[in-house]
């Protein structure tokens, strides 16, 4: 129980009795006070007995006729007694006591008149203690004070208000509440191991200190979106058994400058108070962006927040057992000060899953889905290179939705395959009408890609060819690598360009005209050829030269336009080389297709008829045509 974390927001003790009684007590008080005010101001006069208020001139007249016996002057209030009541007066008829007020402009002759007529004059100091006066003066202030205090308490208990704007907003995970564990995170074993080790640091720091090692302060999880960084942190919260404060970088951002910085301060203070503990800052890039950069000038609030974070990271004492874990998919735009040793110096890369990892992730997300027995996760993993964990989860979910739409009780291979096509190639366009001529052109175009691909040695096997129109294409030839590839040889890239140009080559050679359908092919082929020349030094004349800049981001504002670091003459050579690569590839595609024209015609006819062919069917058609 010693480790049982406290709720960070409610450091203040709860009042005994709680707020409900507080509320009714206040209501009663307000009621009493209102009654008193009404009573004092409205009805008070009735209790002054049978005193008649008379006009000042009437008073002077009574003085003049000698009917006034005595007066008491209190500031500008004059009370007194008459010899006999004023005849014909309204109000408290027949009263001998009267009340009047001295005009604000004064009456210098009054005292003279009074003494001349033998009136007994008594004076009293103006302000005199009176219970009513006290209530009138003090009660409103008590009420206002009470109301403010009450608002403060109320808003404090809701945990979010103008009074707590600079407070720590981090969510504190409790082990018992967090349902995600390491078993929900598939693959990425290396990363999991690294993180468990860090937790071990926290729990038994002595073991490491004895060897002279310092416990890391900051660990940065880096990787593309959807690879499971947030998931991993949540799992760690479940496994670590220490208080775990989780906050997203954007939570530090507020309308008021300085709030973010004060949140950082309060977060670190809370975490240190409960050490050993872990702070997790998701989407670090939203505050940790390079200072003084970017389009549109600086951002005061962000910079202050970042500065505060930097100083908190430095402020850890040797025995503060608190580790800061952060995640980002944009390490390139982080401020260098964040990454220097002693801050986020440990970098853990969470990469796109490998084939084996994809298989594991599919198993995790397929756990509670009814699958048909012939569903083969291994094949799906093979067919989804480059998919992240989030993509794979989405794939199975789409498949489940499809199965539901088709009224099935379990998910089959067909649903998974269709879901994959939907994610990769876009939605099918059902009400898209193609003319027969267009269908023929698309068939020959796709058959061109396929036949070139089959006849080159270092290309990926064909997975499927379709002429079903989709969101972003009228037909697709899909190739899939047999295993995850990390290095691409020059032959492989050249072959890839040749396959891409195969579609246009088929149109030209067999339809007799060319169409706009090759746009994407040409763009992709040109991009690859440009990279070959500029980045990979793979052209003949500019051998082993890397002329391309590292891709900089506009966010950095460092260079908005790509800077060119070579001469006009070299630029001309670059263009020539790119063109020559594309020309040679195109010629090669045309010559393959001319030689294999029988195969091309067969594949194109089959596509026209069936709309979709699997890789095996294509191989069979090509083989049969020889
Ligand atoms: P990131 O924070 O890296 O952008 P997330 O952690 O939010 O990605 O991942 C999104 C979702 O993708 C998770 O909720 C999870 O369902 C799924 N996912 C991602 N990676 C994995 C993985 N390695 N194992 C299981 N599920 C994963
Ligand atoms: Mg995330
Ligand atoms: Zn094409």
């Amino acid at each position: 129980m010693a480790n049982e974390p406290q709720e960070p927001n409610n450091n203040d003790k709860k009042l005994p009795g709680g707020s409900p009684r507080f509320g009714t007590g206040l209501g009663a008080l307000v009621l009493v006070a209102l009654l008193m005010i009404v009573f004092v101001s409205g009805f008070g006069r009735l209790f002054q007995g049978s005193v008649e208020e008379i006009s000042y001139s009437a008073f002077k007249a009574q003085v003049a006729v000698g009917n006034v016996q005595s007066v008491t002057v209190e500031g500008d209030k004059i009370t007194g007694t008459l010899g006999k009541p004023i005849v014909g007066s309204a109000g408290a008829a027949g009263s001998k006591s009267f009340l009047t007020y001295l005009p604000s402009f004064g009456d210098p002759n009054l005292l003279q008149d009074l003494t001349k007529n033998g009136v007994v004059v008594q004076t009293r100091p103006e302000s005199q203690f009176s219970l009513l006066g006290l209530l009138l003066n003090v009660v409103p202030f008590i009420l206002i004070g009470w109301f403010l205090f009450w608002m403060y308490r109320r808003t404090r208990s809701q945990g979010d208000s103008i009074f707590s704007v600079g407070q720590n907003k981090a969510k504190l995970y409790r082990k018992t509440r967090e349902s995600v564990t390491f078993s929900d995170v598939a693959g990425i074993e290396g990363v999991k191991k690294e993180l468990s080790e860090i937790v071990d640091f926290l729990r038994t720091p002595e073991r490491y200190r004895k060897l002279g090692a310092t416990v890391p302060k900051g660990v940065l999880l880096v990787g593309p979106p959807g690879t499971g960084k947030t998931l991993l942190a949540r799992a760690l919260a479940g496994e670590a058994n220490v208080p775990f404060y989780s906050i997203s970088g954007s939570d530090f951002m507020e309308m008021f400058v300085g709030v973010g910085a004060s949140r950082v301060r309060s977060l670190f203070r809370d975490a240190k108070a409960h050490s050993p503990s872990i702070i997790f800052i998701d989407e670090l890039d939203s505050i940790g962006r390079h200072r003084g950069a970017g389009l549109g000038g600086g951002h005061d609030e962000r910079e202050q927040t970042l500065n505060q974070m930097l100083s908190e990271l430095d402020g850890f004492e040797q025995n503060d057992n608190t580790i800061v874990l952060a995640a980002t998919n944009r390490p390139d735009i982080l401020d260098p000060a964040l990454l220097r040793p002693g801050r986020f110096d440990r970098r853990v890369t969470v990469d796109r899953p490998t084939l084996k990892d994809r298989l594991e992730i599919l198993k995790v997300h397929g756990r509670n889905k009814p699958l048909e027995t012939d569903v083969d996760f291994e094949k799906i993993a093979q067919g989804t290179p480059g998919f992240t964990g989030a993509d794979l989860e989405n794939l199975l979910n789409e498949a489940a939705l499809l199965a539901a739409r088709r009224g099935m009780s379990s998910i089959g291979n067909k649903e998974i395959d269709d879901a994959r096509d939907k994610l990769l190639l876009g939605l099918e366009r059902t009400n898209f009408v193609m003319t027969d001529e267009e269908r023929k052109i698309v068939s020959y175009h796709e058959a061109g890609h396929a036949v070139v691909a089959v006849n080159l040695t270092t290309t990926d096997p064909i997975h499927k060819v379709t002429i079903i129109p989709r969101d972003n294409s009228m037909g697709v030839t899909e190739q899939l690598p047999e295993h995850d590839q990390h290095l691409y040889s020059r032959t492989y890239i050249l072959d890839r360009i040749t396959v891409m140009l195969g579609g246009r080559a088929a149109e030209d050679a067999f339809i007799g005209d060319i169409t706009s359908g090759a746009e994407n092919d040409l763009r992709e082929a040109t991009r690859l050829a440009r990279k070959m020349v500029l980045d990979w030094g793979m052209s003949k004349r500019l051998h082993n030269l890397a002329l391309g800049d590292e891709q900089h981001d506009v966010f950095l504002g460092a260079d908005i336009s790509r800077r060119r670091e070579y001469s006009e003459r070299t630029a001309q050579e670059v263009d020539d080389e790119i063109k020559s690569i594309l020309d040679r590839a195109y010629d090669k595609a045309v010559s393959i297709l001319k030689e294999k024209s029988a195969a091309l015609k067969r594949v194109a006819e089959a596509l026209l008829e069936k709309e979709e062919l699997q890789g095996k069917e294509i191989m069979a058609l090509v083989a049969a045509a020889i």
Side-chain angles (χ1 to χ4, degrees):
M1 289 307 272
N3 268 338
E4 187 68 353
Q6 306 284 312
E7 206 69 50
N9 280 335
N10 291 341
N11 291 336
D12 48 316
K13 306 271 181 308
K14 274 243 153 53
L15 279 181
S19 46
R21 269 183 57 199
F22 199 82
T24 47
L26 185 82
L29 189 91
V30 168
L31 197 69
V32 168
L34 280 176
L35 279 177
M36 268 181 173
I37 288 172
V38 168
F39 168 80
V40 165
S41 60
F43 302 102
R45 261 170 227 158
L46 288 180
F47 287 82
Q48 290 175 349
S50 52
V51 175
E52 187 183 1
E53 183 168 347
I54 58 175
S55 69
Y56 188 70
S57 42
F59 163 66
K60 289 284 279 198
Q62 293 300 313
V63 171
V65 298
N67 191 28
V68 178
Q69 288 180 341
S70 65
V71 292
T72 306
V73 183
E74 238 181 294
D76 55 0
K77 186 175 161 195
I78 301 169
T79 50
T81 38
L82 299 168
K84 55 184 190 318
I86 301 169
V87 187
S89 73
S95 171
K96 281 184 175 179
S97 299
F98 70 91
L99 163 71
T100 192
Y101 292 95
L102 193 68
S104 57
F105 44 83
D107 185 353
N109 299 326
L110 179 61
L111 188 62
Q112 210 184 347
D113 286 351
L114 288 172
T115 40
K116 200 170 67 189
N117 288 293
V119 180
V120 182
V121 178
Q122 199 179 10
T123 55
R124 277 193 208 145
E126 194 175 345
S127 70
Q128 240 208 347
F129 179 81
S130 102
L131 190 64
L132 292 179
L134 182 80
L135 277 176
L136 262 177
N137 286 313
V138 175
V139 164
F141 290 102
I142 294 182
L143 273 178
I144 291 170
W146 200 296
F147 180 68
L148 283 179
F149 180 67
W150 174 70
M151 279 239 310
Y152 173 70
R153 299 285 321 181
R154 237 177 87 102
T155 47
R156 269 293 285 263
S157 64
Q158 282 167 359
D160 188 22
S161 76
I162 45 167
F163 296 106
S164 65
V165 85
Q167 294 298 305
N168 161 21
K169 261 186 142 185
K171 204 160 28 153
L172 184 77
Y173 280 108
R174 284 167 198 277
K175 187 175 190 300
T176 44
R177 265 197 234 148
E178 189 51 55
S179 50
V180 181
T181 64
F182 271 163
S183 71
D184 294 298
V185 188
I188 45 177
E189 289 303 327
V191 179
K192 280 199 261 181
K193 195 152 157 283
E194 181 87 16
L195 289 188
S196 330
E197 206 177 281
I198 288 161
V199 173
D200 197 41
F201 272 142
L202 275 185
R203 293 225 206 99
T204 52
E206 309 79 36
R207 229 180 73 199
Y208 297 87
R209 293 229 179 85
K210 258 193 287 189
L211 294 167
T214 53
V215 176
K217 291 176 191 169
V219 181
L220 187 60
L221 291 173
V222 174
T227 44
K229 299 180 294 296
T230 306
L231 182 75
L232 205 61
R234 286 178 57 204
L236 190 69
E239 303 270 341
N241 217 359
V242 298
F244 189 95
Y245 295 84
S246 168
I247 193 165
S248 174
S250 54
D251 288 342
F252 290 118
M253 294 297 107
E254 281 287 339
M255 206 157 70
F256 309 108
V257 172
V259 170
S262 114
R263 286 217 173 115
V264 171
R265 215 175 301 128
S266 108
L267 169 65
F268 277 75
R269 192 184 51 224
D270 284 352
K272 280 185 205 167
H274 296 109
S275 81
S277 56
I278 299 176
I279 297 175
F280 173 58
I281 304 170
D282 208 355
E283 319 285 353
L284 180 68
D285 43 289
S286 62
I287 37 167
R289 204 175 273 174
H290 206 304
R291 278 168 298 180
L295 304 174
H299 189 312
D300 274 347
E301 169 64 343
R302 214 185 56 218
E303 291 196 4
Q304 283 199 15
T305 309
L306 175 56
N307 287 337
Q308 186 65 40
M309 173 121 18
L310 293 176
S311 75
E312 291 289 350
L313 283 166
D314 284 344
F316 279 133
E317 309 276 324
Q318 188 48 237
N319 45 6
D320 273 335
N321 264 332
T322 297
I323 284 183
V324 186
L325 187 68
T328 179
N329 45 36
R330 301 295 310 274
D332 51 318
I333 63 166
L334 288 184
D335 197 278
L338 268 177
L339 303 173
R340 71 122 220 253
R343 289 177 182 153
F344 286 107
D345 46 359
R346 278 238 177 165
R347 193 191 271 226
V348 178
T349 305
V350 187
D351 226 334
R352 286 178 194 279
T354 61
L355 177 64
K356 198 172 133 284
D357 290 345
R358 288 199 297 276
L359 182 61
E360 298 299 319
I361 294 171
L362 282 169
K363 279 183 192 157
V364 164
H365 288 288
R367 270 197 305 224
N368 40 23
K369 290 195 173 65
L371 297 160
E372 267 161 33
T373 44
D374 62 342
V375 168
D376 185 1
F377 278 158
E378 204 142 337
K379 241 165 107 192
I380 302 168
Q382 217 158 30
T384 48
F387 271 46
T388 63
D391 293 333
L392 291 169
E393 184 189 12
N394 193 18
L395 172 76
L396 288 185
N397 190 49
E398 282 289 337
L401 289 175
L402 269 180
R405 196 180 305 158
R406 291 172 188 173
M408 302 165 63
S409 57
S410 56
I411 304 166
N413 269 322
K414 176 97 176 76
E415 280 67 44
I416 294 177
D417 218 41
D418 289 351
R420 180 179 153 279
D421 283 355
K422 185 176 160 192
L423 293 182
L424 273 182
L425 314 173
L427 219 56
E428 278 183 30
R429 286 201 274 189
T430 41
N431 51 0
F432 184 81
V433 187
M434 280 206 281
T435 62
D436 286 347
E437 179 64 16
E438 279 173 338
R439 287 190 72 219
K440 187 179 168 202
I441 293 171
V442 176
S443 299
Y444 271 87
H445 177 107
E446 298 307 330
H449 287 306
V451 172
V452 171
V454 170
N455 285 288
L456 288 171
T457 44
T458 49
T459 53
D460 297 324
I462 291 176
H463 177 73
K464 144 156 94 178
V465 182
T466 113
I467 58 163
I468 299 172
R470 290 178 182 272
D471 269 350
N472 31 26
S473 66
M474 286 171 65
V476 173
T477 301
E478 197 185 341
Q479 292 170 277
L480 275 183
E482 278 162 318
H483 41 80
D484 291 348
Q485 208 169 338
H486 308 288
L487 284 177
Y488 300 97
S489 71
R490 183 184 144 126
T491 324
Y492 176 87
I493 301 163
L494 279 175
D495 278 1
R496 204 172 153 75
I497 294 175
T498 312
V499 172
M500 272 166 197
L501 297 177
R504 164 60 62 89
E507 286 179 36
D508 199 10
F510 295 87
I511 305 285
D513 200 353
I514 52 179
T515 69
S516 59
E519 180 179 342
N520 284 335
D521 296 338
L522 298 184
R523 188 171 296 134
E524 185 61 19
T526 312
R527 191 186 67 86
L528 272 180
R530 175 173 292 276
K531 272 191 101 59
M532 282 180 78
V533 177
L534 284 178
D535 298 331
W536 298 327
M538 285 179 178
S539 65
K540 280 220 178 68
R541 275 192 286 170
L542 302 168
H543 212 57
N544 298 344
L545 265 177
L547 295 169
D549 268 353
E550 241 182 288
Q551 280 277 303
H552 281 300
D553 211 279
V554 227
F555 274 125
L556 283 173
D559 42 2
I560 292 167
S561 58
R562 227 174 123 126
R563 207 168 53 229
R564 209 182 65 192
E565 285 169 336
Y566 42 87
S567 66
E568 277 304 319
R569 216 175 56 114
T570 315
Q572 184 64 52
E573 268 186 281
V574 168
D575 290 345
D576 291 347
E577 284 295 317
I578 293 172
K579 186 167 183 318
S580 115
I581 289 175
L582 291 172
D583 281 350
R584 267 179 289 142
Y586 187 76
D587 291 345
K588 188 165 178 184
V590 170
S591 76
I592 290 174
L593 290 180
K594 289 238 166 92
E595 192 185 322
K596 308 283 176 188
S597 61
L600 179 86
K601 278 183 186 135
R602 272 183 185 239
V603 174
E605 296 300 325
L607 267 178
L608 262 177
E609 188 191 329
K610 292 195 192 166
E611 291 200 320
E612 188 169 300
L613 294 173
Q614 299 301 316
K616 277 189 219 132
E617 298 174 271
I618 304 260
M619 296 302 286
L621 284 168
V622 172
I626 294 169

